[in-house]
Amino acid sequence: MRQEELASRFEVSAIPVREALRELQVEGLVTSLPRRGAVVTKLSASDIEDIYYIRINLEGMATALAVPKLTKETLTHLEDCLVQMDNPELDATSLAKLNHSFHLSIYEASGRKYLCDLIEIQRRRTQHYVRAHISSMNAMPESQSQHQAILKACKASKAGEAKKQMQAHLNRVKLELMSYIAASEIIESEPVST
């Protein structure tokens, strides 16, 4: 991504583009390459492990804090998200958005703004990998089962169980993403025979 091309494409000056790329770099979402522009940061399996270690702890904490504060409206929204995610016609982007809404609705119920901000930063770092995970690995059936277990614990006001289910869900996704990335790293490093 080159600043000039982005500025032209979005019909803005180079200054806001430069600032946006700088913010994305601080968040770890892009990497600036001298004389080449910015590229989407590529994560290794080890990077995913580190990020998910943080996510599992933060999102588990937010879930436990949220359960006593969940309203009927929020629980209904969570159910609606899961019903929509069961639609076999949805593409990976729509599924990822619904998945994000499901998780974020729980965390926001905690009322902990800064905790939610930290979670959102970590989730953005892995968002494009999660989309690939959903589309290439047909990951939704298992995720949906785990989402249902999270929702069941939330409805029963069992904060500890909801936290446990959330952490188990995120740990499974972590392991699958690490495997997916490790496999793609092997494929990329193999010499091409001609």
Side-chain angles (χ1 to χ4, degrees), residues 1 5 15 28 34 36 45 61 64-65 71 81 84 92 98 114 120 123 128 137 153-154 162-163 166 175 185-186 193:
M1 297 177 281
E5 291 170 13
I15 295 169
R36 290 181 49 204
M61 182 189 325
L65 291 168
T71 64
C81 286
Q84 290 178 56
L98 287 165
Y114 296 107
E120 188 61 23
R123 289 182 67 84
H128 54 288
M137 301 171 83
C154 288
K163 175 182 178 178
M166 183 65 76
L175 294 173
E185 287 172 349
I186 290 169
S193 58

Side-chain angles (χ1 to χ4, degrees), residues 114-152:
Y114 296 107
L115 176 58
C116 290
D117 289 348
L118 289 171
I119 289 169
E120 188 61 23
I121 289 167
Q122 298 307 317
R123 289 182 67 84
R124 276 193 300 242
R125 286 185 172 154
T126 59
Q127 190 173 27
H128 54 288
Y129 289 96
V130 170
R131 275 197 200 118
H133 170 58
I134 288 170
S135 62
S136 72
M137 301 171 83
N138 195 21
M140 286 316 291
E142 181 63 27
S143 286
Q144 281 294 81
S145 174
Q146 290 181 321
H147 287 152
Q148 290 291 350
I150 293 164
L151 181 57
K152 181 179 177 183

Side-chain angles (χ1 to χ4, degrees), residues 97-110:
K97 285 179 182 177
L98 287 165
N99 180 63
H100 185 76
S101 181
F102 176 84
H103 284 266
L104 199 60
S105 296
I106 294 172
Y107 309 145
E108 287 176 344
S110 72

Side-chain angles (χ1 to χ4, degrees), residues 150-169:
I150 293 164
L151 181 57
K152 181 179 177 183
C154 288
K155 285 180 172 181
S157 297
K158 294 182 177 179
E161 180 63 18
K163 175 182 178 178
K164 177 181 153 190
Q165 292 295 333
M166 183 65 76
Q167 290 179 319
H169 168 60

Side-chain angles (χ1 to χ4, degrees), residues 1-3 25 30-40:
M1 297 177 281
R2 296 195 178 277
Q3 289 182 26
Q25 186 172 358
V30 300
T31 303
S32 291
L33 301 173
R35 296 177 298 283
R36 290 181 49 204
V39 295
V40 174

